[in-house]
Amino acid sequence: MRVSKEPDRARLVREWDSSGLTSEAFAVPRGIRPETLRAWGRALRGPLERSGRRPAARRVEVIEVAPAPSPVLGEIEISLAGKRQLVVRGDWSPSQVAELVVALEAKGQR
């Protein structure tokens, strides 16, 4: 399968992330080389941690808990595993929130 458009690559990486499959199990049936799929993933979300394990896909739900004090700043409540909660304030993009959740969950598992 030849995938030349960036949105198609991003869609496939998102599908791979949510599948829980290895790069080989996901890519080969679709006619994609596993190395290529991993390269697309690194390009979209950065390199993997040194462990070489891909973090498990996590569902991130953002709930507004209070009106933003200004047009720039907002408040986000994050519920983590083990009933831990965190409130962050500021201008956070969804990808930044997701990165924070993955980092905190990984730290909580150590």
Side-chain angles (χ1 to χ4, degrees):
M1 166 187 266
R2 186 153 177 82
V3 181
S4 59
K5 296 185 181 188
E6 192 64 33
D8 293 332
R9 292 176 182 179
R11 178 185 49 78
L12 284 166
V13 169
R14 283 191 308 273
E15 288 176 12
W16 171 40
D17 285 344
S18 64
S19 75
L21 298 172
T22 64
S23 59
E24 185 171 346
F26 183 87
V28 171
R30 290 164 178 80
I32 303 169
R33 293 180 47 209
E35 300 81 18
T36 301
L37 181 63
R38 288 193 299 269
W40 295 344
R42 282 191 303 276
L44 289 168
R45 58 178 186 271
L48 299 175
E49 294 180 18
R50 286 195 168 263
S51 70
R53 289 183 21 234
R54 191 166 51 100
R58 302 239 189 260
R59 183 171 168 258
V60 177
E61 182 178 354
V62 178
I63 302 169
E64 187 174 334
V65 293
S70 76
V72 177
L73 299 178
E75 186 172 276
I76 300 170
E77 181 177 324
I78 302 171
S79 297
L80 301 167
K83 297 185 179 181
R84 298 176 296 151
Q85 292 191 322
L86 173 71
V87 175
V88 293
R89 292 179 180 88
D91 187 17
W92 290 72
S93 71
S95 63
Q96 289 172 320
V97 172
E99 277 184 54
L100 176 64
V101 169
V102 169
L104 291 172
E105 290 287 359
K107 191 167 189 95
Q109 293 176 1
R110 290 183 191 159

